[in-house]
Amino acid sequence: MAYYVDVHTHLTHPEFQDDTQAVIERAEKKGLRAIVVNGLEPQSNRQILKLSKQYPIVKAALGIYPIEAVNEILPPDFKLPLQRFSVRQEIDFIADLARAGELIAIGECGMDGYHLDPHTFPRQEEVFIALLSIAQKNDIPVIVHSRKCETRILEILAHYKVRKANLHCYTGKIKAAVQASETYGWCFSIPANIARVQSFQLLAAKLPEESLLTETDAPYLSPQPGTRNEPAHVCQTIEQIAGLRGWQPDEAKEKVWKNYERLFMGKSASPP
Ligand SMILES: [Zn+2]
């Protein structure tokens, strides 16, 4: 059986505070069987653990967002709101839970060159590499944010010989993504705003089919500008991918579900 999957979402965002259950039920009704909720800092990481106990469809990925990863070196008047906490302690917390088999992946983690200046890059890398190593030690995938640091992220993943990686909302060069997929087998999740973002259409059309996954990054990146995104919207992404690849929607759904099973559940693909 094939199902829909959202491999990158933020159901712990305050925008879901009042109707988390309704959002999850709506996703289940649409045919989703996995919603990988990604953590960003201590608060969301702990909330995700609770959610995953409450709803079997919710799979826990804990991480530290690139901005939060450098919270200890950002000035008090930094332009964006952020949590202040000990990154070392949070890494240890995530490592313990990964070891206990509580996590399906490590994420969100990575690097950001859009909001952050290059002077933060060495520290961003350090935190990213520490989280990568937890994923590798426990043989679980890493879900990576790479905004405006795409080349460096691909270099790091290659350098550490990472086998299980999903790049979320990748906006770097298409050629580099295709090459990385072919060489290392990494996946790239296509967001729900694909209908209005040409670079995601190109990515979805050009990637090897074994590298395609679907995500929402909800509440962000909605298919309709100015509205709240939610996991159920991956169904529209599957239709878009099918259209671009000349597949039937069911075929696209099946391929993406298989990729999810292979990357996140460690199930090998059935022979052709
Ligand atoms: Zn995200």
Side-chain angles (χ1 to χ4, degrees):
M1 269 303 272
Y3 303 100
Y4 294 107
V5 55
D6 181 352
V7 300
H8 184 92
T9 187
H10 300 287
L11 288 186
T12 55
H13 192 280
E15 284 203 33
F16 291 112
Q17 195 176 298
D18 297 331
D19 63 346
T20 319
Q21 184 169 347
V23 168
I24 291 172
E25 283 172 3
R26 206 146 49 226
E28 279 177 332
K29 271 207 190 105
K30 285 268 190 176
L32 278 80
R33 281 296 177 278
I35 302 172
V36 183
V37 183
N38 285 229
L40 305 165
E41 27 58 35
Q43 202 186 333
S44 55
N45 282 339
R46 280 149 192 78
Q47 267 178 283
I48 289 168
L49 290 170
K50 275 194 206 149
L51 270 185
S52 69
K53 298 251 160 24
Q54 217 177 332
Y55 303 100
I57 192 175
V58 169
K59 315 293 177 194
L62 303 197
I64 304 175
Y65 193 68
I67 296 178
E68 262 73 18
V70 294
N71 80 79
E72 290 151 308
I73 60 165
L74 290 176
D77 60 347
F78 182 67
K79 59 188 174 182
L80 297 169
L82 82 157
Q83 304 251 337
R84 305 279 180 175
F85 59 94
S86 158
V87 172
R88 187 66 256 167
Q89 273 177 24
E90 195 59 13
I91 289 172
D92 291 345
F93 176 75
I94 295 170
D96 284 346
L97 284 150
R99 213 174 302 124
E102 300 278 329
L103 311 183
I104 198 169
I106 298 295
E108 178 162 0
C109 61
M111 293 179 67
D112 189 290
Y114 180 79
H115 290 297
L116 297 171
D117 296 334
H119 82 268
T120 65
F121 289 177
R123 178 70 182 139
Q124 286 196 57
E125 281 197 26
E126 225 179 281
V127 178
F128 177 45
I129 289 163
L131 292 169
L132 262 188
S133 113
I134 296 173
Q136 286 184 292
K137 266 189 208 139
N138 294 281
D139 196 28
I140 53 177
V142 68
I143 300 167
V144 186
H145 173 111
S146 57
R147 195 173 185 189
K148 298 267 178 258
C149 287
E150 294 89 359
T151 308
R152 185 64 191 137
I153 286 287
L154 295 175
E155 275 170 14
I156 293 173
L157 291 174
H159 178 82
Y160 286 94
K161 300 188 167 50
V162 175
R163 287 191 312 114
K164 297 183 176 179
N166 176 57
L167 285 101
H168 114 84
C169 200
Y170 172 89
T171 50
K173 292 213 166 65
I174 306 285
K175 215 173 141 188
V178 172
Q179 212 167 42
S181 299
E182 287 171 352
T183 314
Y184 304 104
W186 301 329
C187 287
F188 290 76
S189 49
I190 308 296
N193 62 355
I194 178 173
R196 55 191 175 90
V197 182
Q198 209 199 359
S199 67
F200 294 137
Q201 294 167 17
L202 271 175
L203 191 61
K206 298 256 161 86
L207 280 173
E209 62 179 61
E210 299 78 18
S211 295
L212 285 169
L213 286 171
T214 46
E215 67 159 277
T216 58
D217 206 16
Y220 310 108
L221 311 184
S222 178
Q224 265 76 48
T227 64
R228 184 185 72 171
N229 200 2
E230 64 174 65
H233 291 153
V234 293
C235 308
Q236 299 168 41
T237 314
I238 286 292
E239 279 187 20
Q240 293 278 330
I241 294 174
L244 288 161
R245 307 283 302 217
W247 297 334
Q248 291 303 316
D250 275 353
E251 216 180 331
K253 181 178 166 188
E254 200 172 307
K255 288 177 197 290
V256 167
W257 179 255
K258 271 197 185 142
N259 292 342
Y260 164 73
E261 284 196 318
R262 195 183 63 246
L263 182 63
F264 287 84
M265 315 294 288
K267 288 194 187 168
S268 55
S270 49

